Amino acid sequence: MKNIVVAKFGGSSLADGKQFNKVKKIILSDESRKYIVPSAPGKRFKDDQKITDLLYLCDAHIKQNIPFDDVFSIVKRRYLKLVSELNLSMDIQKELNNIEEKIKLGASQDYIASRGEYLNGLILANFLNFQFVDAAGLIFFKENGILDEEKTRFAIKSRLSNVDKAVIPGFYGSMRNGEIKTFSRGGSDITGAIIASCVEANLYENWTDVSGFLMTDPSIVDNPKNIEKITYRELRELSYMGATVLHEEAIFPVRKAGIPINIKNTNEPEHQGTLIINDVIAKNCMGTITGVAGKKNFTVITIEKSMMNVEQGYCRKILSILEDNDVSFEHMPSGVDIVSLIISQPKLDGKLEKIIKEIDIKCSPDSIEVHPDMALIAVVGRGMNRSVGISAKVFKALALSEVNVRMISQGASEITIIIGVENNQFEKAIRSIYKVFED
Ligand code: ASP
């Protein structure tokens, strides 16, 4: 098996000379870290600006016919300072002038935004003494903006096959006509994942400023425990509930290729971080959960009609009303004569009354109840489907904390229990569930 690690470093890991030095130490401490994917420099302190944000601002100025020079000079100063902090002899001024010239000539928004990664990649390659390989020649998009997997795979395989160590800027690639195109924000994660899958890496490291995932939200629970291992499926369930460190789309290429992702902290490199692993090889961790996350502000519409179970197409009628009103739903727990629709509140803004009226007319239910201000909590754990007693523990904890459970749904995914509570009991519920699984 090849020993190749692809390491992506986020913006805060590369925000200034001090961070660059930490990154260099990390990369050089392991020979297998061969392909390095940098983001653009991020914030150095709380109220600092991210380079990518400044570049988007340049583009916004141009679109409104406002001079962009002032904003672009902040970008220039950041890179000049960085190169001087690192004592590099490269001519970054020339690159900056080139870019400025292209912007003046009407460069696209994607081109402008991508220069943050491009310049950072040049600097990092110079600093590490690695080859710089431009992502424009590796990552390709089709006309419709979707990744051209075949062309990309071929380009990466052939271009990198005899390059031992390289820095490849994240976030962008090119269209068939050579124009630069970026992924959505945070897209360097995707670049790293694509490179990892194409070079058949045995590990994709994602270096950021936190030591992986926490079992729950630290703004609700003090110092929650770190998750050592999580499966892709569990991660999907938890990130759907808002617990994200990683760009969602970054998961697919590596998951498909069976490559684990290690989320690590540049500021605490000895910490093991979180390892995201294949669902199949993961051992079930019996008796415990992996994490608990949740979101507030859902509305539950409960529709009751006796003999609903024998009436064909009843749910279809309800769902087509939602569709006609351009509203999607999150969950749909049902009973013999009853079905509930759980919908994110903002999606119903200005539409609720109309939807209720239409359900009343087209479905003639016995009753419709609307219950706003609900929160959903997902208790996620791959051990859940095999071990007895996990849900008992969850509900006992909630009962002891006097949390009123309004809805329970285990649904198709046996690794998650979704619990509906009132918004105002949300934090209490999360704390009590976390507490029983803490050790
Ligand atoms: N620099 C880009 C952004 O801020 C991409 C990335 O950091 O992944 O969105």
Side-chain angles (χ1 to χ4, degrees):
M1 184 156 177
K2 292 189 218 168
N3 200 13
I4 301 178
V5 174
V6 171
K8 179 254 165 178
F9 288 86
S12 59
S13 300
L14 296 164
D16 58 17
K18 196 168 144 223
Q19 293 300 86
F20 261 70
N21 275 298
K22 290 184 193 168
V23 166
K24 183 175 189 171
K25 208 166 153 205
I26 291 166
I27 295 169
L28 300 186
S29 70
D30 186 344
E31 259 303 303
S32 53
R33 293 192 175 113
K34 293 190 183 296
Y35 302 116
I36 312 300
V37 177
S39 280
K43 292 184 180 189
R44 293 160 293 181
F45 42 88
K46 196 168 159 271
D47 295 322
D48 197 15
Q49 284 150 313
K50 285 180 168 192
I51 289 288
T52 312
D53 291 340
L54 290 169
L55 292 168
Y56 277 117
L57 194 59
C58 282
D59 179 65
H61 274 80
I62 295 161
K63 288 198 171 113
Q64 292 169 42
N65 279 323
I66 305 171
F68 73 95
D69 319 49
D70 281 355
V71 185
F72 195 68
S73 60
I74 307 177
V75 173
K76 284 202 273 194
R77 281 203 299 275
R78 278 283 292 269
Y79 283 108
L80 288 167
K81 184 161 181 239
L82 184 57
V83 168
S84 102
E85 276 172 351
L86 299 174
N87 274 324
L88 301 174
S89 58
M90 64 190 295
D91 193 356
I92 200 74
Q93 183 70 57
K94 193 173 136 207
E95 292 287 343
L96 290 163
N97 293 345
N98 263 337
I99 293 169
E100 194 166 12
E101 223 19 66
K102 284 210 174 127
I103 300 179
K104 280 186 185 146
L105 291 171
S108 69
Q109 183 190 58
D110 281 16
Y111 171 84
I112 300 174
S114 72
R115 295 305 89 183
E117 270 72 11
Y118 171 79
L119 291 163
N120 228 21
L122 285 177
I123 297 171
L124 186 61
N126 195 292
F127 187 50
L128 294 171
N129 214 0
F130 278 21
Q131 192 170 331
F132 173 80
V133 179
D134 194 351
L138 297 185
I139 308 268
F140 293 95
F141 296 90
K142 295 182 189 166
E143 234 82 310
N144 57 6
I146 305 281
L147 181 78
D148 186 336
E149 280 187 46
E150 213 175 304
K151 193 167 176 197
T152 299
R153 183 164 291 275
F154 180 77
I156 293 176
K157 276 187 181 281
S158 46
R159 181 70 179 83
L160 297 183
S161 64
N162 46 20
V163 180
D164 184 40
K165 306 234 166 140
V167 172
I168 302 143
F171 190 40
Y172 69 92
S174 50
M175 301 290 287
R176 289 203 172 135
N177 63 6
E179 249 181 62
I180 295 292
K181 159 130 189 77
T182 62
F183 289 108
S184 54
R185 294 298 306 266
S188 300
D189 284 345
I190 311 175
T191 310
I194 294 170
I195 308 272
S197 90
C198 294
V199 300
E200 292 165 40
N202 46 344
L203 182 66
Y204 172 34
E205 286 180 341
N206 198 294
W207 291 84
T208 173
D209 53 5
V210 290
S211 299
F213 296 103
L214 299 172
M215 263 181 82
T216 193
D217 185 345
S219 67
I220 300 176
V221 170
D222 286 339
N223 290 321
K225 270 178 39 183
N226 173 268
I227 301 176
E228 262 176 57
K229 271 188 193 158
I230 185 168
T231 67
Y232 286 113
R233 268 180 68 202
E234 288 173 310
L235 181 63
R236 173 81 183 100
E237 304 266 342
L238 282 175
S239 42
Y240 157 73
M241 280 291 178
T244 38
V245 178
L246 201 64
H247 195 299
E248 285 250 308
E249 284 171 65
I251 293 176
F252 298 107
V254 271
R255 180 178 184 172
K256 211 162 114 192
I259 301 166
I261 309 176
N262 199 356
I263 309 279
K264 297 268 289 177
N265 187 351
T266 301
N267 306 316
E268 202 187 351
E270 329 63 50
H271 194 294
Q272 64 197 4
T274 297
L275 193 65
I276 308 166
I277 45 173
N278 214 307
D279 311 290
V280 188
I281 61 160
K283 282 208 198 87
N284 278 333
C285 34
M286 307 299 266
T288 191
I289 61 166
T290 303
V292 49
K295 277 200 270 195
K296 283 185 176 175
N297 299 329
F298 291 91
T299 291
V300 183
I301 304 175
T302 302
I303 302 146
E304 203 169 349
K305 169 141 176 110
S306 55
M307 307 301 282
M308 185 191 282
N309 60 331
V310 292
E311 190 171 330
Q312 283 179 6
Y314 195 78
C315 286
R316 184 187 46 74
K317 273 195 263 175
I318 299 174
L319 295 184
S320 65
I321 294 169
L322 287 190
E323 196 179 345
D324 293 345
N325 284 282
D326 211 10
V327 169
S328 58
F329 70 94
E330 308 291 318
H331 297 276
M332 191 167 89
S334 63
V336 189
D337 289 334
I338 197 164
V339 61
S340 290
L341 297 163
I342 299 173
I343 301 168
S344 158
Q345 221 137 285
K347 286 185 189 157
L348 285 170
D349 270 355
K351 297 178 176 173
L352 183 62
E353 238 174 85
K354 181 166 174 268
I355 290 174
I356 298 299
K357 219 182 218 160
E358 286 176 25
I359 295 178
D360 210 10
I361 295 168
K362 293 186 188 157
C363 309
S364 346
D366 299 338
S367 70
I368 312 180
E369 251 182 58
V370 176
H371 199 98
D373 303 324
M374 292 272 292
L376 292 184
I377 296 171
V379 184
V380 178
R382 59 190 177 276
M384 211 121 82
N385 55 352
R386 302 258 173 90
S387 43
V388 182
I390 295 209
S391 38
K393 247 171 139 175
V394 170
F395 294 111
K396 190 171 165 205
L398 291 171
L400 287 174
S401 304
E402 295 180 353
V403 172
N404 184 14
V405 174
R406 301 291 315 258
M407 187 225 42
I408 304 167
S409 158
Q410 189 165 16
S413 134
E414 281 178 55
I415 61 165
T416 304
I417 307 173
I418 306 275
I419 298 161
V421 301
E422 308 276 341
N423 268 349
N424 61 12
Q425 296 206 302
F426 175 69
E427 284 84 3
K428 186 158 86 165
I430 296 251
R431 270 185 229 118
S432 61
I433 296 170
Y434 172 78
K435 208 147 189 344
V436 278
F437 292 104
E438 195 174 16
D439 331 293

